[in-house]
Amino acid sequence: MSKFFINRPIVAMVIAILTVIIGAVTITSLPVAQFPNIAPPEVQIQATYVGADAETLEQSVATPIEQQMSGVDNMNYMYSLNATANGQTTMIIDFDVKTDPNTDLILAQMRETQAASQLPADVTKLRSYRSKNPSHRH
């Protein structure tokens, strides 16, 4: 059988091209909604404290929010990033793979709202939330 394709390379190329075309067409019809979630949903909370250095951001913004976030249902871990150039703190909270990202976002917003009374007034004006679920497909 291999001699057939060695002696007729055009047939081998046509079969290879047809295989690629058929694969490209069928990949669009795969049921991706049935694939399991492998990346955990995460919620990002961003707060800006204009003019603050990293230590001030940590003490007055990140720490109160982290204290309220600890114990959120189905939370795996959290971490925060403090940027001194723009006075911005970004907290990332990762949840269990089996949870609903919308519920996770609501739980994180409720806990962050509880921490809002401990934050400086300038920070409470400039907050944003974003839910991110890399494995979620529409």
Side-chain angles (χ1 to χ4, degrees):
M1 186 76 165
S2 61
K3 287 188 177 200
F4 176 80
F5 290 109
I6 292 172
N7 294 332
R8 294 170 184 84
I10 295 175
V11 174
M13 285 188 282
V14 168
I15 291 174
I17 291 171
L18 285 174
T19 304
V20 170
I21 291 172
I22 291 170
V25 169
T26 58
I27 199 166
T28 60
S29 65
L30 286 175
V32 293
Q34 295 177 1
F35 290 166
N37 292 333
I38 56 172
E42 67 180 30
V43 174
Q44 289 185 353
I45 300 173
Q46 292 182 336
T48 304
Y49 193 4
V50 179
D53 61 350
E55 187 175 342
T56 305
L57 282 170
E58 178 191 353
Q59 292 174 355
S60 61
V61 180
T63 301
I65 296 174
E66 285 174 355
Q67 288 173 348
Q68 288 296 327
M69 286 295 163
S70 62
V72 172
D73 292 340
N74 299 315
M75 180 184 73
N76 286 339
Y77 61 91
M78 69 178 154
Y79 61 95
S80 61
L81 307 166
N82 299 326
T84 57
N86 55 4
Q88 190 172 33
T89 295
T90 302
M91 180 170 296
I92 299 160
I93 304 129
D94 280 3
F95 291 89
D96 190 24
V97 175
K98 298 173 185 162
T99 61
D100 179 29
N102 296 325
T103 305
D104 298 338
L105 178 63
I106 292 169
L107 291 173
Q109 284 178 334
M110 288 174 28
R111 292 293 184 109
E112 200 278 334
T113 303
Q114 292 174 351
S117 63
Q118 301 171 357
L119 301 176
D122 292 340
V123 176
T124 56
K125 297 175 193 173
L126 303 170
R127 293 178 298 173
S128 67
Y129 306 93
R130 185 170 60 157
S131 178
K132 181 176 165 188
N133 186 1
S135 61
H136 184 69
R137 293 169 186 89
H138 299 281

